[in-house]
Amino acid sequence: MNINESPDARSSMWAWIAYSLRFHRMQRGLTGDAVARLLNCARSSISRLENGEAKLEEKQAAVLDEAWNTGNHFSIMVWYARQGHDPTWFKNFTEFEARAERIHNYDGQLIPALFQTPGYARALLESGRNPYLEDDLKKRMARQNVLDRKIPPELWVLLSESVIDIPVGGAEVMREQLAYLLELSMRPNVFLRIVPKSAGAHEGLDGPFKIITVKQGEVGFVEAPNGGRLVLEAAEVRGLKLRFDRIGAVALPVDSSRRLIEQLMESFT
């Protein structure tokens, strides 16, 4: 795609917003500099919005609607975009993940991809009858290179006890996976805690999510079956952080979590 072009408007709601921004700007004979002054941002930010590299914020949408008398056109589109599945979420997620300084991750269903052994990952991909299994397995394992950076990110991970109790791939695969979890948990940048079944109902039952801190700020990712979405709004990211803290309040301490993993590992014989 040419840097001056907008993405295919049919590919996602965010792409439609990028296309609409450029269309409305050009229809009014405005330059990117003029829109940048209107939104109180850099000219480069307008280029990124129109190229689909950045997402229009709610406040920016409201400013455009008022200035251009659109009848809340942009505000409504942003609202719908934030409610729905973003087909580009995984690409965006892995780009942020590779640059992460800190990752907060809660999962009540699976071992996170960064912590998966090849055997565990293969079993998951096979269960989904993935026609691109070998390629996807290589890509998943390659993502773990972030763990071996010269300065690796801090990893704050909360896992439901059920995650480490389900024999994904069979006893041998699961035993190897739990041994690897224990190994990773000994790294100084990894803080792994288990939410025991005895905790009962907690906010993690709503589903897995991540918060990634990069140099430019924080973003969230909320996962769902066959998709997910990127969370950019600061208020929503703060909500995810609060949710993580509340789940952490019912999790076992690090040492107790290791002992529980060791106990369950012994059961996979």
Side-chain angles (χ1 to χ4, degrees):
M1 183 179 70
N2 186 287
I3 193 169
N4 294 318
E5 294 179 351
S6 293
D8 182 354
R10 296 166 294 186
S11 62
S12 72
M13 181 60 77
W14 288 113
W16 172 241
I17 292 172
Y19 173 88
S20 295
L21 176 59
R22 187 169 189 267
F23 174 82
H24 281 270
R25 174 180 65 78
M26 295 183 69
Q27 191 178 51
R28 288 165 173 76
L30 298 174
T31 64
D33 289 321
V35 180
R37 288 193 294 272
L38 177 63
L39 297 182
N40 192 29
C41 65
R43 171 65 180 85
S44 59
S45 296
I46 303 304
S47 295
R48 295 182 69 240
L49 286 169
E50 293 186 355
N51 292 337
E53 297 174 1
K55 291 180 170 61
L56 193 69
E57 297 178 1
E58 292 178 359
K59 291 181 180 179
Q60 293 174 323
V63 170
L64 292 174
D65 286 333
E66 181 177 356
W68 294 349
N69 192 27
T70 66
N72 291 326
H73 174 78
F74 285 100
S75 294
I76 292 171
M77 286 197 299
V78 168
W79 184 86
Y80 271 109
R82 295 198 182 285
Q83 303 308 307
H85 164 56
D86 179 1
T88 65
W89 84 275
F90 188 70
K91 177 178 181 294
N92 294 331
F93 166 69
T94 53
E95 289 174 354
F96 279 113
E97 183 182 70
R99 298 187 286 115
E101 295 181 352
R102 189 178 305 109
I103 299 175
H104 288 78
N105 188 164
Y106 167 76
D107 206 310
Q109 301 169 348
L110 303 170
I111 303 291
L114 292 184
F115 285 5
Q116 291 176 10
T117 62
Y120 184 96
R122 178 180 290 277
L124 290 177
L125 293 170
E126 286 177 345
S127 69
R129 299 182 179 180
N130 189 327
Y132 310 106
L133 189 151
E134 295 301 331
D135 286 343
D136 285 351
L137 181 60
K138 289 178 182 178
K139 291 176 183 177
R140 184 169 299 189
M141 293 298 102
R143 286 169 55 192
Q144 297 181 2
N145 291 336
V146 69
L147 302 178
D148 298 318
R149 284 186 340 207
K150 185 175 181 180
I151 303 178
E154 284 188 0
L155 293 158
W156 297 77
V157 180
L158 296 173
L159 298 179
S160 170
E161 181 179 347
S162 60
V163 170
I164 59 174
D165 195 26
I166 300 173
V168 173
E172 183 177 348
V173 168
M174 201 61 196
R175 184 179 175 85
E176 179 185 33
Q177 175 63 74
L178 294 185
Y180 186 53
L181 270 186
L182 285 173
E183 177 187 331
L184 289 173
S185 75
M186 300 303 294
R187 296 190 182 190
N189 61 308
V190 176
F191 306 89
L192 173 63
R193 298 169 63 203
I194 304 299
V195 180
K197 295 176 183 177
S198 60
H202 57 83
E203 292 190 44
L205 298 179
D206 287 339
F209 63 94
K210 300 176 179 68
I211 305 157
I212 295 183
T213 303
V214 293
K215 187 173 296 184
Q216 295 80 5
E218 293 179 319
V219 294
F221 295 89
V222 178
E223 299 182 41
N226 300 317
R229 67 184 179 93
L230 175 68
V231 177
L232 294 173
E233 286 293 325
E236 193 172 359
V237 173
R238 286 195 298 271
L240 289 177
K241 291 177 69 176
L242 181 59
R243 185 175 159 198
F244 187 90
D245 289 343
R246 287 173 174 166
I247 299 169
V250 298
L252 297 173
V254 171
D255 288 344
S256 299
S257 295
R258 288 196 190 108
R259 286 195 292 271
L260 179 57
I261 294 172
E262 289 171 346
Q263 291 170 13
L264 288 172
M265 187 171 67
E266 292 303 318
S267 70
F268 291 113
T269 55

